[in-house]
Amino acid sequence: MTEASGHEGQPSPPTPRVRLVDVAREAGLSKTTVSAALNGTGRLSPAVRERARETARRMGYRPNATARHLRAGRARLIGYVVGGAPDALWTYLESPYFARLTGATAATSLLRGYAVVLLPAGTLQGEWSDLSLDGVIVADPVAGDTVIEDLLAAGIPVFSDRSVEGRFGASWVDVDAEGAVAEALDHLREQGARRPVLVVPDIATRFHVEVEAAHRAWCAAHGLPELAVRVAESGNGPVVRAVETVLDTPDGAERPDALLVVAEASPPLVLEAARRYGYEVPDDLLVVLVSEDATALYTDPPVTTLSLRPEAVAEAGVEHLVAVLEHGRREPAGTLVPTRLDVRASSVRSGRVE
Amino acid sequence: MTEASGHEGQPSPPTPRVRLVDVAREAGLSKTTVSAALNGTGRLSPAVRERARETARRMGYRPNATARHLRAGRARLIGYVVGGAPDALWTYLESPYFARLTGATAATSLLRGYAVVLLPAGTLQGEWSDLSLDGVIVADPVAGDTVIEDLLAAGIPVFSDRSVEGRFGASWVDVDAEGAVAEALDHLREQGARRPVLVVPDIATRFHVEVEAAHRAWCAAHGLPELAVRVAESGNGPVVRAVETVLDTPDGAERPDALLVVAEASPPLVLEAARRYGYEVPDDLLVVLVSEDATALYTDPPVTTLSLRPEAVAEAGVEHLVAVLEHGRREPAGTLVPTRLDVRASSVRSGRVE
DNA sequence: TATTGGTGCGGGAACGTTCCCGCACAAGAC
DNA sequence: GTCTTGTGCGGGAACGTTCCCGCACCAATA
């Protein structure tokens, strides 16, 4: 360190970073005074304050964040992890919903003064142990995952979905699955659908479990047949195939007249599948997709989507977590985020969008 | 643990977190010894080592990461920022390329023992000042952005594209734009294209600037007309509209016979646009998209894509940055990542995929 | 002139680790 | 029995901040 490698080409000083004491010495002040000057605290004469600031600026002083954190007892860092299969640790980002959830989480956190650390799905607790996280946001945990237990046991505040309700130091936000299903199905029914089919992924995420239950209840309440298909895998391929099995009815059998796809799927691909099987959208088939995919706006016809409002979810989540972190709020708290149906031509029988 | 809160409900002891000295006192050892025992260092008798470990386990000791970082002089934290307009700070995640780049960056970093912090685009330097970042990865910086200068001035190692070449403490990775353009255009020409049109975003990202230059050179070298359209805005809407202006030729004018879309666009939407204007793909129009969008596999016909291989870019990037951080490697270093053309039916004239 | 009250600044501990030492003791060599 | 070498453990400084104090000084009051 002391002796920079001799020959070199563009040898830079190994920059033994300037500390607070260096500034103090240079300015002929104590570190206490300089610290107060830079932070705008303490009782200092304007002259001294300015001298300290000027010296710090001149020397290129940049405070050591780690030391601050140690002193402050927290690092203003929150972890962000998406529950899910350990074999698909990072692919969640490719889903528009999680892309927006992730971005919104980072943005909101930053506004509140916290930075977001990306963590891998699955319970790799060991990996995080040398990260100083003030709290962790667990998005869409799968049932049976132990991450949350581990974190709470470690005394780290957690923010997740309703499954953590009542747990100490945990708060939650959830998407209103029941309202979502009702909103979408009511809309389809108003538009004349009598045989709407639900396509839903076969995973243990709380939201999807609730969607199935809500669908069952709705069908019973409205006296319509309970038509549903479960998709074993995620991704466009499996979902589109599932849609095809729904549309490919044997001759003479009753055809579905509406589709509510809750699995993440590309809007144009779903439309394409419908056309392949001879359906005209929206005349033969009303289509509603639960999706944040922006391509829904640009298809022909544009596709009605049900947004889970990831930005709202993220905001509520960060807000709750920060409340716990800052004010030590300890009462369990939660938010239920309503969904938003964006009606477009694909689900309006008359072809007329309000 | 000592006295569990009596009546229970959800009152937790405010948990005055157990420190190393607490464990030491409890075990009748010194903190030095306990530290050595837990870290597997030092010369200790097996008995003492086990006693320390057992006590720590029993007391639920979790080392304070911040203190470690202060001692170690680094926090094992890497910042990750995507250059771009400050008005679209986070939307980059919705692009498949950046989604995968981001995921791969996080994954690779974690393997190397570093965690990744999501940073907002734009030069909000102030925001990061109380983050202890060991280094920063700047993906696709726009020309004229000062983030990199600021970081280097602050002595923080930076990893970015070739624009940082030669800068001290910086290393780079770049996508082989010239090779990419050549590969795609050669392929289209082999398939019989004589009037291929390039659609490229009108932004100052290094890659896109190089693409335009490479296209110009290629056209000149092969004696084909230099047909190109610049898209002012990003997003599916503008790109599709640009494609439409290309396809909407006045009667009698020569029609394009191939499309090379470098802007991020949804494959099915591009195909749909082609059909709207009466082109049969691939018979009337060969289509190649520079995209990581997985929907390209599921369209009819499947769309040929040119992958920029975000995972490879991320790996090279993290590797270089870590090399600087760990071994203080100071010689400028860089990697040029070759692209990969995935030929599918949309660009094969005969309709036959090899 | 003594007493009070306020202002301006510095000394030093603390945050929780790691790691360089040094000390005590035991065992082997002569 | 002394001298060396080695083993097992602990004391204490250091990482770079912030913040609680206390001390000196000055002005105003009695």
Side-chain angles (χ1 to χ4, degrees):
Chain A
M1 183 72 59
T2 48
E3 34 154 22
S5 48
H7 58 307
E8 203 28 37
Q10 46 270 42
S12 124
T15 330
R17 191 158 169 174
V18 35
R19 301 159 302 165
L20 198 57
V21 280
D22 300 325
V23 177
R25 195 182 347 255
E26 174 79 10
L29 296 167
S30 78
K31 54 184 159 72
T32 306
T33 307
V34 176
S35 173
L38 297 181
N39 292 326
T41 60
R43 297 177 308 206
L44 299 181
S45 71
V48 164
R49 187 165 301 241
E50 188 45 45
R51 176 150 58 101
R53 288 191 163 145
E54 166 54 22
T55 310
R57 201 177 311 130
R58 182 163 48 79
M59 298 179 71
Y61 168 70
R62 291 171 25 92
N64 180 314
T66 306
R68 283 185 156 173
H69 295 156
L70 178 58
R71 182 65 230 225
R74 57 180 179 168
R76 307 202 73 96
L77 223 50
I78 65 190
Y80 174 81
V81 56
V82 172
D87 54 315
L89 261 66
W90 297 103
T91 48
Y92 67 83
L93 279 174
E94 294 173 52
S95 128
Y97 174 75
F98 284 112
R100 286 175 57 180
L101 184 71
T102 306
T105 301
T108 312
S109 300
L110 236 41
L111 282 179
R112 297 266 183 286
Y114 290 80
V116 167
V117 179
L118 245 37
L119 264 23
T123 312
L124 303 176
Q125 258 281 66
E127 316 271 4
W128 322 349
S129 60
D130 48 30
L131 274 172
S132 34
L133 301 177
D134 298 342
V136 173
I137 293 185
V138 181
D140 281 36
V142 292
D145 199 338
T146 61
V147 194
I148 293 177
E149 304 302 320
D150 294 350
L151 289 170
L152 286 177
I156 299 179
V158 165
F159 166 79
S160 185
D161 71 4
R162 226 177 318 168
S163 58
V164 300
E165 196 168 1
R167 298 304 312 274
F168 185 80
S171 46
W172 58 269
V173 67
D174 246 332
V175 170
D176 182 11
E178 193 183 330
V181 168
E183 193 175 10
L185 291 178
D186 283 346
H187 165 69
L188 289 174
R189 187 156 163 276
E190 274 171 28
Q191 295 296 324
R194 289 301 172 263
R195 297 182 54 81
V197 180
L198 175 75
V199 177
V200 62
D202 189 17
I203 51 179
T205 298
R206 184 181 190 89
F207 175 70
H208 295 110
V209 172
E210 291 186 357
V211 161
E212 282 197 87
H215 173 249
R216 198 169 305 125
W218 187 93
C219 289
H222 292 79
L224 291 188
E226 187 186 319
L227 306 170
V229 169
R230 286 217 191 89
V231 190
E233 293 170 79
S234 63
N236 275 299
V239 174
V240 168
R241 269 195 297 279
V243 167
E244 288 174 342
T245 64
V246 168
L247 300 180
D248 186 18
T249 51
D251 285 340
E254 276 194 281
R255 305 180 90 190
D257 56 6
L259 223 49
L260 173 56
V261 181
V262 177
E264 194 95 43
S266 165
L269 286 186
V270 172
L271 285 191
E272 206 175 297
R275 288 205 193 94
R276 263 203 304 279
Y277 283 83
Y279 290 79
E280 199 69 37
V281 175
D283 297 333
D284 306 329
L285 188 75
L286 301 173
V287 174
V288 172
L289 256 49
V290 173
S291 172
E292 313 300 323
D293 198 321
T295 59
L297 289 161
Y298 303 110
T299 52
D300 181 24
V303 175
T304 296
T305 54
L306 185 69
S307 170
L308 304 184
R309 303 179 60 227
E311 287 80 5
V313 172
E315 270 178 50
V318 171
E319 201 123 8
H320 278 139
L321 186 55
V322 168
V324 172
L325 294 179
E326 315 243 285
H327 312 107
R329 198 215 288 165
R330 285 310 196 177
E331 323 91 59
T335 302
L336 196 61
V337 174
T339 54
R340 175 170 41 77
L341 187 69
D342 292 310
V343 177
R344 303 198 185 91
S346 77
S347 69
V348 179
R349 187 69 79 186
S350 62
R352 202 181 65 84
V353 180
E354 36 162 351
Chain B
M1 186 58 66
T2 49
E3 33 149 26
S5 46
H7 61 304
E8 193 45 28
Q10 49 270 40
S12 127
T15 332
R17 191 158 169 173
V18 34
R19 301 158 302 165
L20 198 57
V21 280
D22 300 325
V23 177
R25 194 181 348 252
E26 174 81 9
L29 296 167
S30 78
K31 55 184 157 72
T32 306
T33 306
V34 176
S35 173
L38 297 181
N39 293 326
T41 60
R43 298 177 306 207
L44 298 181
S45 70
V48 163
R49 183 159 304 216
E50 188 44 45
R51 177 150 57 102
R53 286 189 165 149
E54 167 53 24
T55 311
R57 202 176 311 131
R58 183 162 48 80
M59 299 180 71
Y61 169 70
R62 292 172 25 94
N64 180 314
T66 307
R68 286 186 153 173
H69 296 157
L70 178 59
R71 181 66 225 221
R74 57 179 178 169
R76 307 200 74 94
L77 226 49
I78 296 183
Y80 174 82
V81 56
V82 173
D87 55 316
L89 261 66
W90 297 104
T91 48
Y92 67 84
L93 279 174
E94 294 174 51
S95 129
Y97 173 76
F98 283 112
R100 286 176 56 179
L101 184 70
T102 306
T105 301
T108 313
S109 300
L110 236 40
L111 282 179
R112 297 266 183 290
Y114 288 81
V116 166
V117 179
L118 246 36
L119 264 24
T123 311
L124 303 175
Q125 259 283 65
E127 314 272 4
W128 320 349
S129 60
D130 48 29
L131 273 173
S132 34
L133 301 177
D134 299 341
V136 172
I137 293 185
V138 181
D140 281 37
V142 293
D145 199 338
T146 61
V147 194
I148 294 177
E149 305 302 321
D150 294 348
L151 289 170
L152 287 177
I156 299 178
V158 166
F159 167 79
S160 187
D161 71 5
R162 224 178 318 169
S163 58
V164 300
E165 196 168 2
R167 298 304 311 275
F168 183 82
S171 45
W172 57 270
V173 66
D174 245 334
V175 170
D176 182 12
E178 195 182 330
V181 169
E183 192 175 9
L185 291 177
D186 284 346
H187 165 70
L188 289 173
R189 189 159 162 276
E190 272 171 31
Q191 295 295 324
R194 290 300 172 264
R195 298 182 54 78
V197 180
L198 175 75
V199 178
V200 62
D202 189 17
I203 52 178
T205 298
R206 185 181 190 90
F207 174 71
H208 296 109
V209 171
E210 291 187 358
V211 160
E212 283 198 85
H215 173 249
R216 199 169 303 123
W218 187 92
C219 289
H222 292 79
L224 291 188
E226 186 187 320
L227 307 170
V229 170
R230 285 216 193 90
V231 190
E233 293 170 78
S234 64
N236 275 300
V239 174
V240 168
R241 269 196 296 278
V243 166
E244 288 174 341
T245 65
V246 168
L247 300 180
D248 186 18
T249 51
D251 286 339
E254 276 193 282
R255 305 180 90 191
D257 57 6
L259 223 48
L260 174 56
V261 182
V262 177
E264 193 96 43
S266 165
L269 285 186
V270 173
L271 285 191
E272 205 175 298
R275 288 206 193 95
R276 261 203 304 278
Y277 282 84
Y279 290 79
E280 199 70 33
V281 176
D283 298 332
D284 308 328
L285 188 74
L286 301 173
V287 173
V288 172
L289 257 49
V290 172
S291 172
E292 315 299 323
D293 197 320
T295 59
L297 288 161
Y298 304 108
T299 52
D300 180 23
V303 175
T304 295
T305 54
L306 186 70
S307 171
L308 304 185
R309 302 180 60 228
E311 285 81 6
V313 172
E315 271 178 49
V318 172
E319 201 123 8
H320 278 139
L321 185 55
V322 169
V324 173
L325 294 180
E326 315 244 286
H327 313 107
R329 197 214 288 165
R330 286 310 198 176
E331 323 91 59
T335 302
L336 197 60
V337 173
T339 53
R340 174 168 42 77
L341 188 68
D342 292 310
V343 177
R344 303 198 185 91
S346 77
S347 69
V348 180
R349 187 69 79 185
S350 62
R352 203 181 64 86
V353 181
E354 32 159 353

